[in-house]
Amino acid sequence: MVVGWYTLQNRVVFLDRDGVINHKASPHDYIKSVDEFHLLPGVGKAIHLLNQADYKVLIVTNQRGIARGLMTMKTLEGIHCFMRSTLMQFDAYIDGIFVCPHNEGECHCRKPEIGLFIQAEQQFVVDKKHSYMIGDSESDILAGKKYGVATISINGLSFKADHDSINLLDAVQWIMEENQK
């Protein structure tokens, strides 16, 4: 957003979805319906804290199940609508959702590539110096590093992230503490 003669940049927290916001499907499976989508403990509170601190909360998610024909984009949009309505119960909201529906090697948006981040930049001016990528896989962390934001790995799987947390709420509390320094 342009204000006067300068640009107001956004502090952004980019989130992977599966394994960060909701329970992950079994290996080689996908969350394919609203019935399979279950918010992880503390996620509503974590996103609410980010909203209160004026961070933009953006989801960047690989959804290969679409490319494999296991779900449609319309089904995925229904899952995201359900997720948003569930988060509203915590007075929490997501500012944007960016999805890669492709198989590996078919695009430049599938993490660890940064195409989803570039898509986000078309809608939000990102202050990379004060933004973060939180994920539970190596591709999440690599994408965040390539894009130039600080990275936080959750579930104790470091992947050489800038910080490791046990879950999203722990990661957000760490971000809030960093802002106090």
Side-chain angles (χ1 to χ4, degrees), residues 37 39 44 80-92:
F37 185 92
L39 212 60
H80 289 161
C81 184
F82 175 75
M83 174 185 64
R84 285 176 187 248
S85 66
T86 303
L87 288 170
M88 286 175 61
Q89 297 170 21
F90 298 92
D91 196 25

Side-chain angles (χ1 to χ4, degrees), residues 81-113:
C81 184
F82 175 75
M83 174 185 64
R84 285 176 187 248
S85 66
T86 303
L87 288 170
M88 286 175 61
Q89 297 170 21
F90 298 92
D91 196 25
Y93 58 90
I94 301 295
D95 293 286
I97 301 174
F98 301 89
V99 175
C100 172
H102 308 109
N103 276 313
E104 286 183 44
E106 293 181 352
C107 65
H108 296 289
C109 59
R110 184 173 181 77
K111 293 177 290 177
E113 299 302 322

Side-chain angles (χ1 to χ4, degrees), residues 1-50:
M1 169 183 359
V2 175
V3 179
W5 56 271
Y6 64 95
T7 302
L8 181 62
Q9 294 194 356
N10 296 305
R11 298 180 307 165
V12 175
V13 174
F14 293 95
L15 302 174
D16 179 47
R17 194 193 78 180
D18 300 335
V20 174
I21 293 174
N22 59 283
H23 287 278
K24 229 176 182 167
S26 302
H28 309 294
D29 196 7
Y30 304 90
I31 303 298
K32 304 175 294 298
S33 70
V34 169
D35 293 337
E36 296 174 346
F37 185 92
H38 303 286
L39 212 60
L40 288 166
V43 166
K45 180 178 181 180
I47 293 173
H48 175 76
L49 289 170
L50 290 170

